[in-house]
Amino acid sequence: MVNPGKRMHILQALLALRHGPGAAILPPEITRIHMDFAMKWNEGHFGPRKFWKMCLPRLKFWNPAVPMLVNRTRDQTAPAKMSIYFRQASLSSDTPSALSSKMNSLPLAQQPHSSSENECPAPEPEEDERVVTIDMKGIHSDKILEEFLAKTGATLVNPTPNEQVEMRQVEERAERAAFDRAIVKKYLDDKRREERMLAMARQEAEAIKMANQL
């Protein structure tokens, strides 16, 4: 049986993944998402990196079938761009796309993948696709998400009543834990201070004793 503390930590991690910036369901015509930006945060790449860290995991959680690739480069002067690929309106979402047919025919090692060495830049759209881009360089992650939601027409996911209760429980537990840590810290600080004072008193007593023996 999982103890209550461990269960609460698991619940906290799950709720953090399910809800927050990026928790949205994409429309079926979106075939894939590709992000290009630099490895480090400076020179306008802070927003894209934060979107990648904070928003993309939630998008992937709610849209597991949509490929989401990240291509990073060590060139900090490089552009930061998100490419959103849409299935052409004339095609049904149930119709296999040229992309899926192409990917299925490739060995796994040759299929597109995320890269930290600029190995997989955003490809050109397939014949049955169109692509919409977002210039992310120098843009705050909140603004990137706002433009992403507007251009994709994604539907935000809101917590259910039960999840709202669980989120409040997690917050209350975190507050109690912070309060308990503060109490323990004060106790340990006071104890260390008393030990230092006792050590100083012993040293002074020893010094007086040595002086009296001279």
Side-chain angles (χ1 to χ4, degrees):
M1 180 177 178
V2 180
N3 67 65
K6 187 173 183 180
R7 178 186 176 278
M8 191 61 68
H9 283 302
I10 295 172
L11 178 61
Q12 182 177 10
L14 179 59
L15 289 172
L17 179 62
R18 288 174 60 88
H19 299 292
I25 297 176
L26 299 171
E29 59 266 25
I30 291 181
T31 58
R32 49 182 167 155
I33 295 170
H34 198 289
M35 293 183 68
D36 288 279
F37 56 91
M39 291 285 289
K40 298 181 180 179
W41 61 266
N42 56 310
E43 297 198 38
H45 293 273
F46 182 81
R49 281 179 56 82
K50 188 173 181 181
F51 183 95
W52 165 52
K53 291 282 189 179
M54 301 298 295
C55 301
L56 202 64
R58 295 189 182 100
L59 277 171
K60 187 61 179 177
F61 177 86
W62 288 106
N63 306 275
V66 178
M68 300 180 187
L69 302 185
V70 175
N71 182 65
R72 293 181 289 163
T73 176
R74 298 185 185 278
D75 180 8
Q76 291 299 129
T77 65
K81 184 178 71 172
M82 183 190 302
S83 302
I84 307 163
Y85 297 81
F86 291 77
R87 182 182 291 105
Q88 294 286 14
S90 60
L91 295 178
S92 166
S93 60
D94 297 328
T95 304
S97 66
L99 174 66
S100 61
S101 300
K102 179 180 178 180
M103 292 302 101
N104 290 336
S105 66
L106 288 175
L108 184 61
Q110 297 179 19
Q111 293 184 12
H113 57 277
S114 292
S115 171
S116 59
E117 297 294 338
N118 198 27
E119 296 172 331
C120 294
E124 293 296 320
E126 297 293 330
E127 290 182 2
D128 57 356
E129 287 182 315
R130 63 183 178 89
V131 63
V132 173
T133 61
I134 297 175
D135 182 5
M136 303 184 293
K137 194 163 187 178
I139 307 298
H140 193 280
S141 59
D142 291 345
K143 291 296 183 183
I144 296 172
L145 178 59
E146 183 179 320
E147 186 172 354
F148 175 85
L149 294 174
K151 288 187 172 181
T152 60
T155 303
L156 293 177
V157 178
N158 296 312
T160 65
N162 286 340
E163 287 174 328
Q164 290 176 354
V165 171
E166 290 174 335
M167 292 168 78
R168 283 195 296 271
Q169 291 174 343
V170 168
E171 290 175 1
E172 290 170 358
R173 184 178 180 84
E175 290 173 358
R176 288 197 300 269
F179 180 74
D180 292 342
R181 286 194 299 270
I183 292 177
V184 171
K185 183 179 184 302
K186 185 178 184 305
Y187 168 77
L188 293 175
D189 289 345
D190 290 344
K191 186 176 180 180
R192 293 188 187 103
R193 184 170 59 254
E194 290 175 1
E195 290 173 349
R196 287 195 299 268
M197 293 176 67
L198 285 172
M200 291 174 62
R202 292 192 191 100
Q203 290 175 359
E204 291 174 358
E206 188 67 25
I208 291 172
K209 181 179 178 181
M210 293 290 293
N212 289 336
Q213 291 176 353
L214 296 177

